[in-house]
Amino acid sequence: MEGRRSIRSWGPWALVFFPLVAGVYGVDFNYPAVFNFGDSNSDSGNLVAGVGDRLEPPNGQTFFKRPSGRFCDGRLIVDFLMDAMDLPLLNAYLEAIGVPNFNKGSNFAAAGSTVLPATAASVCPFSFGIQVAQFLRFKSHVLELLGGKFDKFLPRSDYFHQGLYMFDIGQNDLAGAFYSKTEDQVIASIPVILAEFETGIKKLHEEGARRFWIHNTGPLGCLAQNIAKFGTDPSKLDELGCVGSHNRAAKLFNLQLHALCKKLSGSFTDANVTYVDIFSIKLDLIANYTRYGFEQPIQVCCGNGGAPLNYDSRISCGQTKDLNGTAVTVKACQDPSEYVNWDGIHYTEAANRHVSNQILTGKYSDPPFSDKMPFLLKLKF
């Protein structure tokens, strides 16, 4: 599998040793397979493959040495978590080139995805409901093919029951809504978004899913894309330079998502539901970036326009366009590991590694597992 490395090869940023133990507050890192759902935070190539989108260098430069379908200079949080579980990086469900191997699971996440059904104006047609439908087809087709010559590429039938189901989605529902709605209207839409999410989770449970790992959404107001659009008035920014309205909406979304996870945990008496507080991890990173060895918490590595944001909505990382009569190519900064943000929306591999390390401490999860998991964790300081 391309990019496969053991956790001991993560380099100077982190060295994580932990035994694969079961029955720790419902957390078990000895999963035979992982099925992932989400947006660009965990997309390993579905949007690129599914709609013929194109990513140009320097995307992928840090680890894959070429664009890998990920909106990042290297690996995503899901990649580091797969590595920590001693599993291969997940293949995108829609990627047909390269003889994809789905033996250890599949990735259904697609950049631009929303929880709510896509509209004609949506960046991506593969909303959460579509991803769940894709999984159902995937499972049905796998069960039909098992017992033949393709077995080595397919998950075993019991993997669908024993596997881990991971989710990181909702960011685009909130961020996109701010373009046409007030803060109060965005907040009022949260129950509708989460009702759709609950419907999808229940469908997966009906299909045998029993282990759910759900990330909340990050501090949207700290993304350069949102600051450039909604933070031109300094009074709209908080003490970190982030857009207050977006972070308030994200916090309320996360409170209600947490409540939903508690509800599902009570309803699914035969399942484990783990809620992971990504918001707190990312906000701490932005607030205390120097402590973790970063130099730029908000400014974009692969962007255009220079300080303070180095973000230009007219042109994306790796693109070449004519701007005001001048040909402009968006290139990466000299050292992406010094930056938290890669392209104005997504994090760098270095930041994703940090977030993954924090997740693996167990203290940001509910139920927590930090007091039961004997980690040895060295972070970059």
Side-chain angles (χ1 to χ4, degrees), residues 188-252:
S189 71
I190 291 174
V192 179
I193 298 169
L194 292 179
E196 182 75 13
F197 183 69
E198 181 179 8
T199 296
I201 294 289
K202 286 182 174 179
K203 285 183 180 179
L204 293 171
H205 182 262
E206 290 171 0
E207 285 292 319
R210 292 296 181 267
R211 297 166 177 87
F212 300 91
W213 184 275
I214 300 172
H215 290 179
N216 71 10
T217 200
L220 308 179
C222 299
L223 299 176
Q225 181 190 57
N226 294 327
I227 298 172
K229 174 68 177 178
F230 300 97
T232 53
D233 180 351
S235 68
K236 304 295 184 182
L237 303 177
D238 63 18
E239 65 279 5
L240 296 178
C242 305
V243 183
S245 58
H246 286 61
N247 281 357
R248 287 191 294 270
K251 287 180 181 179
L252 289 170

Side-chain angles (χ1 to χ4, degrees), residues 70-87:
R70 294 162 174 80
F71 289 77
C72 182
D73 61 307
R75 288 164 289 183
L76 308 175
I77 293 169
V78 66
D79 295 321
F80 286 110
L81 295 181
M82 292 297 293
D83 199 46
M85 289 184 279
D86 201 29
L87 292 172

Side-chain angles (χ1 to χ4, degrees), residues 58-68 70-76 301-302 317 332-333 335-343 346-353:
N59 286 290
Q61 69 173 27
T62 297
F63 184 75
F64 300 97
K65 308 306 178 186
R66 59 177 178 79
S68 67
R70 294 162 174 80
F71 289 77
C72 182
D73 61 307
R75 288 164 289 183
L76 308 175
C301 171
C302 190
C317 178
C333 56
D335 186 359
S337 71
E338 296 178 350
Y339 288 68
V340 170
N341 199 287
W342 171 241
D343 60 5
H346 312 99
Y347 282 25
T348 60
E349 175 178 286
N352 287 332
R353 187 198 314 261

Side-chain angles (χ1 to χ4, degrees), residues 256-369:
Q256 294 183 47
L257 176 63
H258 195 183
L260 174 58
C261 288
K262 290 286 191 183
K263 173 187 173 184
L264 293 171
S265 185
S267 301
F268 299 162
T269 56
D270 58 348
N272 297 319
V273 180
T274 301
Y275 170 86
V276 185
D277 187 7
I278 299 296
F279 183 98
S280 292
I281 297 174
K282 289 184 174 180
L283 192 66
D284 172 65
L285 171 58
I286 292 166
N288 302 294
Y289 63 96
T290 56
R291 177 187 175 194
Y292 301 116
F294 292 87
E295 296 186 9
Q296 296 292 344
I298 292 176
Q299 184 173 311
V300 174
C301 171
C302 190
N304 181 58
L309 296 177
N310 194 37
Y311 177 79
D312 188 335
S313 62
R314 298 172 298 173
I315 186 169
S316 301
C317 178
Q319 287 186 337
T320 297
K321 283 187 177 181
D322 186 290
L323 299 181
N324 302 322
T326 302
V328 176
T329 298
V330 180
K331 300 179 180 179
C333 56
Q334 185 173 357
D335 186 359
S337 71
E338 296 178 350
Y339 288 68
V340 170
N341 199 287
W342 171 241
D343 60 5
I345 306 171
H346 312 99
Y347 282 25
T348 60
E349 175 178 286
N352 287 332
R353 187 198 314 261
H354 171 84
V355 174
S356 305
N357 289 339
Q358 295 301 312
I359 290 171
L360 290 169
T361 66
K363 64 182 180 181
Y364 292 96
S365 297
D366 184 17
F369 54 89

Side-chain angles (χ1 to χ4, degrees), residues 17-51:
F17 296 98
F18 58 93
L20 300 177
V21 296
V24 183
Y25 289 102
V27 176
D28 175 0
F29 286 94
N30 195 18
Y31 298 104
V34 173
F35 304 99
N36 185 72
F37 305 80
D39 52 32
S40 57
N41 287 324
S42 60
D43 180 7
S44 57
N46 279 308
L47 183 68
V48 171
V51 301

Side-chain angles (χ1 to χ4, degrees), residues 147-226:
K149 61 181 179 180
F150 299 111
D151 281 9
K152 67 179 179 179
F153 300 109
L154 304 174
R156 288 174 17 185
S157 59
D158 55 342
Y159 286 6
F160 292 105
H161 182 74
Q162 298 172 1
L164 179 65
Y165 291 74
M166 296 180 66
F167 308 86
D168 191 329
I169 195 167
Q171 172 173 306
N172 295 319
D173 292 88
L174 297 178
F178 272 101
Y179 283 83
S180 60
K181 297 179 179 179
T182 66
E183 180 180 349
D184 287 342
Q185 289 173 327
V186 173
I187 291 170
S189 71
I190 291 174
V192 179
I193 298 169
L194 292 179
E196 182 75 13
F197 183 69
E198 181 179 8
T199 296
I201 294 289
K202 286 182 174 179
K203 285 183 180 179
L204 293 171
H205 182 262
E206 290 171 0
E207 285 292 319
R210 292 296 181 267
R211 297 166 177 87
F212 300 91
W213 184 275
I214 300 172
H215 290 179
N216 71 10
T217 200
L220 308 179
C222 299
L223 299 176
Q225 181 190 57
N226 294 327

